Amino acid sequence: MARLGSWIEPFPEGIYVKPADAWVDPSQTKPQALITHGHSDHARGGHGAVWATAETLAIMATRYGEQPGWPVAYGERIRLGEVEISFVPAGHVLGSAQIVLEHAGERIVISGDYKRRPDPTCLPFVVTPCDIFISEATFGLPVFRHPDTGSEIDRLLHRLRTEPGRCVLVGAYALGKAQRVIMELRGRGHDEPIYIHGALERLCRLYEELGVSLGELRLATGAAKAELADKIILCPPGALNDRWSRRLPDPITAMASGWMRIRQRARQRNVELPLIISDHADWDELTQTIREVAPKEVWITHGREDALMHWCRMHQIKARELNLVGYEDEDD
Ligand SMILES: [Zn+2]
Ligand SMILES: [Zn+2]
């Protein structure tokens, strides 16, 4: 009997699905690519043909210009070569999907990046039982336990209220995290205009077009210093300490990231108010997900594999590390 999953082959640049002649999230350009979500380490421009959710295709078009793409709705089944393929919500960012592959009586789920926490900007992760579950392990260590998102947002709002005259500058990745922080603030009753760095504008506008209402956003560039006092301003992490931020009124520097759990990372970026808000599963979510999906094998694409491999073996699940390259921790 053939080895389980013998029809897919992991290469350093991505997973090749032989009977479909297609690659999943390849880091190099390929004739046919299935893309889990729009983060740049998973969705590169320039493939010959792309299958992805309509949202992911729209994100790719915003970043790279129009791509030769075929939208696949959640739950829709398509056939490529000899493989039945469907896309299932991954709960990571708007449009993010797990890719479900069925061939030779086996089902393989490639989860891409995922999380289990509620996210007001996207559909929640759907558990799909399978033979092989291919998972990330960005936060695959028991020390990573993300706190409740609401309490992190409350800490932000508390600082804003207790330090009048200052502003809170929040570093957040342009795709997903920025819009989620805005929506979480709205959900906590913060109705005031939120100011954004110009680099966040296009994706915020795209989210709006795709039906995620972010409330009143204003560009921080061009706003008078006095106008920005007592306001929340979002920028990409790279702009937190650059010249751009010097014209803001005495900013309280914050950053929304799963890595803020590590004090050293917060210090490196001069972050005064670390907010542990992640778009990836923490240790408990990773192990809970594997329990629920109940696969025969777990293959780990990237991250901190060792502890999760060990956990799988303790639970009688075969585990294997794939060592894919090119996936960064960028989109935490
Ligand atoms: Zn991602
Ligand atoms: Zn990623």
Side-chain angles (χ1 to χ4, degrees):
M1 208 178 105
R3 180 175 52 82
L4 203 61
S6 59
W7 45 281
I8 68 169
E9 199 172 342
F11 286 89
E13 75 262 36
I15 293 167
Y16 180 54
V17 186
K18 277 178 277 185
D21 189 23
W23 294 75
V24 177
D25 290 356
S27 56
Q28 296 169 6
T29 57
K30 299 291 179 189
Q32 304 204 96
L34 307 163
I35 304 292
T36 58
H37 68 286
H39 279 139
S40 55
D41 51 333
H42 298 259
R44 316 250 169 185
H47 300 303
V50 172
W51 285 264
T53 62
E55 293 86 351
T56 296
L57 289 174
I59 290 163
M60 291 175 77
T62 302
R63 297 190 139 168
Y64 311 122
E66 213 57 52
Q67 301 290 302
W70 305 91
V72 184
Y74 291 125
E76 181 187 344
R77 292 174 76 85
I78 62 164
R79 196 178 170 88
L80 222 56
E82 297 160 28
V83 184
E84 296 275 342
I85 300 169
S86 57
F87 286 55
V88 169
H92 177 57
V93 296
L94 182 63
S96 66
Q98 310 170 66
I99 298 179
V100 182
L101 306 167
E102 286 170 286
H103 174 76
E106 294 173 4
R107 183 190 285 158
I108 298 175
V109 172
I110 301 178
S111 64
D113 293 338
Y114 65 97
K115 70 173 174 294
R116 305 299 301 273
R117 309 282 166 121
D119 179 338
T121 69
C122 64
L123 293 173
F125 181 96
V126 172
V127 171
T128 307
C130 58
D131 301 295
I132 300 176
F133 183 61
I134 302 186
S135 177
E136 54 136 328
T138 303
F139 292 111
L141 283 175
V143 298
F144 290 112
R145 290 197 157 94
H146 306 325
D148 171 65
T149 311
S151 62
E152 296 300 283
I153 295 294
D154 286 346
R155 289 201 299 121
L156 193 172
L157 290 170
H158 179 76
R159 280 299 286 273
L160 186 71
R161 276 194 299 269
T162 51
E163 301 197 43
R166 300 183 71 181
C167 65
V168 180
L169 177 63
V170 186
Y173 289 107
L175 170 59
K177 188 64 62 65
Q179 297 79 17
R180 182 176 171 211
V181 167
I182 292 167
M183 290 298 276
E184 297 282 2
L185 284 163
R186 300 307 188 204
R188 291 316 245 203
H190 185 77
D191 298 326
E192 285 190 48
I194 293 174
Y195 288 76
I196 58 171
H197 184 284
L200 305 180
E201 194 187 9
R202 279 192 316 170
L203 283 166
C204 285
R205 197 183 297 145
L206 179 67
Y207 266 60
E208 290 266 354
E209 284 166 21
L210 295 173
V212 182
S213 309
L214 301 172
E216 188 181 350
L217 301 182
R218 290 185 191 164
L219 272 183
T221 314
K225 199 168 186 171
E227 185 187 339
L228 297 172
D230 308 313
K231 297 296 192 298
I232 295 171
I233 305 164
L234 266 67
C235 70
L240 269 183
N241 300 306
D242 76 7
R243 230 165 11 150
W244 175 86
S245 65
R246 279 185 222 151
R247 39 177 295 281
L248 305 175
D250 195 11
I252 298 160
T253 305
M255 167 120 172
S257 162
W259 296 113
M260 291 296 103
R261 164 70 75 205
I262 302 175
R263 284 206 190 93
Q264 174 120 6
R265 293 240 190 170
R267 269 202 303 270
Q268 274 165 6
R269 287 186 181 271
N270 293 316
V271 170
E272 194 182 332
L273 177 64
L275 302 169
I276 306 167
I277 301 176
S278 175
D279 284 327
H280 290 269
D282 67 3
W283 175 255
D284 292 332
E285 292 170 68
L286 288 170
T287 53
Q288 174 204 346
T289 302
I290 293 170
R291 267 203 194 95
E292 290 176 5
V293 171
K296 297 190 183 92
E297 294 186 17
V298 170
W299 296 5
I300 302 168
T301 52
H302 63 298
R304 273 126 292 266
E305 302 89 350
D306 294 351
L308 196 57
M309 301 253 295
H310 180 71
W311 184 92
C312 288
R313 289 183 189 133
M314 297 272 290
H315 291 79
Q316 278 75 50
I317 301 166
K318 269 177 98 173
R320 165 180 180 194
E321 54 186 318
L322 302 183
N323 296 314
L324 302 190
V325 296
Y327 293 150
E328 291 123 30
D329 297 331
E330 250 275 306
D331 52 357
D332 55 8

